[in-house]
């Protein structure tokens, strides 16, 4: 009787340990601008087919037109939804954030002191900002030509729209630095005293995976998905030559030095198809979701 009980207890323990060791970490998905949870159906399928048993959490918040809500408000909203998931999984979670969502995720990593995000996958996100008024990013009020968008975006009114929060006009540096309510502070383009704490929090991640490509068609310049951006002559300045990297303003250089940054560049992928492309999933995403 006693030994049976022991066997039972031991196997229960092994079972728990097995689940603990072998289980895939849950994956949290954050959508992009003008999108919602429905757009992640394929990606969810890819994940659960490759790694059966993975819990995929698609956060349903600020969907579709509501995705134009100011970025900090979205950061707060997503953070509140994601926190309980993190608490439920003390071994960590993965964060996969698409397009505008990649900036929201960076903001929430900055603002969450004890987060347990293992790998942060930024899927075609304008991490260094956007300077391209493509058809997809149009919404009533926004001027059709990128040269004029700053007029709409760089003031208190414009900053009520998410896109304006990361609009980065290389020809209007001082207007950008003064007005940008989100990108300028998170990229350290406007100094402020919270940066040290944000950096510390951000550096809790183990891996940063940056995915993007030249045929994206929306993210402009497309290298913004890899933290590259235009200088004031619209020449490309790669991540490693960006001021925020050289000065390690929010931890990119530290993360890179410890081997924590991976990039995956793929041609032939249009912006709206990144999350539904099996080759992209197989080549760039799957191996991180363990
Ligand atoms: C899927 O991605 C690959 C690159 O990884 C690309 O060559 C191909 O064109 C893409 N397919 C679609 C339908 O976007």
């Amino acid at each position: 009787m006693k030994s049976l009980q022991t066997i039972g207890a031991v196997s229960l323990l092994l079972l728990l340990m097995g689940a603990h060791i072998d289980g895939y970490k849950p994956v949290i998905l954050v959508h992009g601008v003008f999108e919602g949870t429905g757009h992640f159906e394929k990606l969810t399928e890819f994940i659960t087919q490759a790694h059966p048993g993975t819990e995929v959490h698609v956060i349903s918040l600020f969907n579709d037109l509501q995705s134009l809500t100011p970025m900090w408000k979205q950061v707060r909203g997503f953070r509140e939804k994601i926190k309980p998931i993190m608490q439920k999984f003390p071994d960590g979670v993965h964060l996969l954030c698409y397009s505008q969502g990649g900036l929201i995720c960076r903001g929430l990593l900055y603002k969450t002191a004890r987060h347990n995000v293992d790998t942060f996958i930024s899927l075609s996100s304008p991490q260094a900002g956007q300077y391209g008024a493509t058809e997809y990013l149009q919404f009533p009020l926004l001027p059709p030509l990128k040269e004029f968008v700053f007029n709409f975006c760089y003031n208190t009114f414009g900053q009520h729209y998410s896109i304006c929060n990361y609009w980065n006009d290389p020809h209007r540096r001082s207007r950008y630095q003064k007005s940008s309510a989100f990108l300028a502070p998170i990229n350290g383009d406007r100094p402020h005293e919270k940066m040290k704490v944000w950096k510390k929090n951000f550096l809790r991640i183990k891996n940063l995976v940056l995915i993007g490509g030249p045929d994206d068609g929306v993210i402009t310049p497309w290298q913004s998905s890899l933290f590259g951006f235009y200088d004031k002559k619209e020449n490309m300045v790669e991540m490693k030559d960006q001021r925020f990297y050289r000065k390690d303003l929010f931890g990119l250089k530290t993360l890179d030095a410890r081997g924590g940054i991976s990039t995956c560049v793929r041609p032939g992928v249009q912006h709206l198809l990144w999350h539904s492309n099996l080759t992209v999933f197989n080549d760039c995403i799957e191996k991180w979701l363990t």
Side-chain angles (χ1 to χ4, degrees):
M1 220 25 218
K2 203 164 179 198
S3 64
L4 260 182
Q5 268 176 357
T6 315
I7 292 170
V10 167
S11 43
L12 183 66
L13 192 70
L14 283 175
L15 201 74
L16 287 172
M17 279 171 59
H20 205 67
I21 294 163
D22 295 327
Y24 297 109
K25 290 186 177 66
V27 183
I28 300 168
L29 305 182
V30 175
H31 68 80
V33 73
F34 302 132
E35 291 211 344
T37 53
H39 296 83
F40 280 140
E41 270 166 22
K42 275 212 168 148
L43 182 57
T44 305
E45 211 178 284
F46 296 160
I47 297 171
T48 49
Q49 255 161 30
H51 298 161
T54 306
E55 269 197 37
V56 180
H57 295 262
V58 183
I59 310 296
S60 178
L61 203 63
F62 301 110
N63 297 327
D64 309 312
L65 273 180
Q66 288 204 30
S67 62
L68 288 173
T69 303
M71 294 293 279
W72 283 123
K73 191 169 176 199
Q74 295 200 53
V75 167
R76 286 195 294 276
F78 278 101
R79 187 170 167 263
E80 287 319 300
K81 287 247 180 178
I82 288 173
K83 258 177 141 176
I85 305 171
M86 290 181 185
Q87 278 157 6
K88 196 173 147 204
F89 295 94
D91 287 344
V93 300
H94 300 305
L95 203 51
L96 195 165
C97 314
Y98 166 62
S99 193
Q100 174 179 284
L103 286 164
I104 293 171
C105 287
R106 188 144 61 91
L108 75 86
L109 289 170
Y110 281 11
K111 292 243 174 198
T112 312
R114 280 182 297 278
H115 76 74
N116 57 2
V117 173
D118 182 281
T119 296
F120 165 32
I121 301 177
S122 163
L123 183 60
S124 194
S125 295
Q127 292 290 354
Q130 170 75 12
Y131 184 57
T134 65
E135 215 176 292
Y136 184 69
L137 285 186
Q138 282 306 318
F139 60 96
L141 301 174
L142 198 68
L145 289 173
K146 65 180 181 182
E147 289 80 5
F148 300 114
V149 171
F150 82 93
N151 259 325
F152 173 83
C153 278
Y154 289 165
N155 56 63
T156 342
F157 174 77
Q159 290 297 310
H160 285 111
Y161 293 92
S162 64
I163 295 170
C164 288
N165 288 162
Y166 50 88
W167 188 258
N168 193 353
D169 187 329
H171 310 291
R172 310 279 169 177
R173 296 322 290 157
S174 62
R175 287 280 302 266
Y176 160 77
Q177 282 169 325
K178 230 171 49 210
S179 316
S180 171
F182 183 78
L183 191 72
I186 71 162
N187 278 0
D189 291 329
R190 183 170 69 236
H192 59 90
E193 82 280 1
K194 287 190 200 126
M195 209 57 186
K196 262 187 146 162
V197 176
W198 288 2
K199 177 177 176 179
K200 187 168 139 246
N201 294 346
F202 182 63
L203 280 170
R204 288 174 68 89
I205 62 170
K206 291 201 184 74
N207 308 296
L208 168 65
V209 181
L210 301 168
I211 304 171
D215 301 312
D216 184 277
V218 173
I219 304 302
T220 319
W222 70 267
Q223 292 93 335
S224 181
S225 54
L226 314 174
F227 281 105
F229 207 74
Y230 299 129
D231 64 11
K232 54 179 185 290
K233 290 186 179 144
E234 295 194 31
N235 294 314
M236 181 46 53
V237 180
E238 306 292 344
M239 173 178 80
K240 289 190 180 186
D241 296 316
Q242 291 286 342
R243 181 176 165 273
F244 52 67
Y245 181 95
R246 284 190 283 106
K247 297 196 177 268
D248 205 19
L249 292 182
F250 55 92
L252 278 185
K253 197 174 179 180
T254 303
L255 195 58
D256 203 14
R258 69 186 193 211
I261 303 184
S262 297
T263 58
C264 198
V265 175
R266 287 292 177 277
V269 189
Q270 288 171 19
H271 188 64
L272 296 179
L273 296 176
W274 283 103
H275 47 51
S276 310
N277 186 311
L278 184 60
T279 317
V280 170
F281 176 77
N282 288 336
D283 292 358
C284 306
I285 300 175
E286 194 208 318
K287 61 173 175 281
W288 299 103
L289 304 183
T290 54

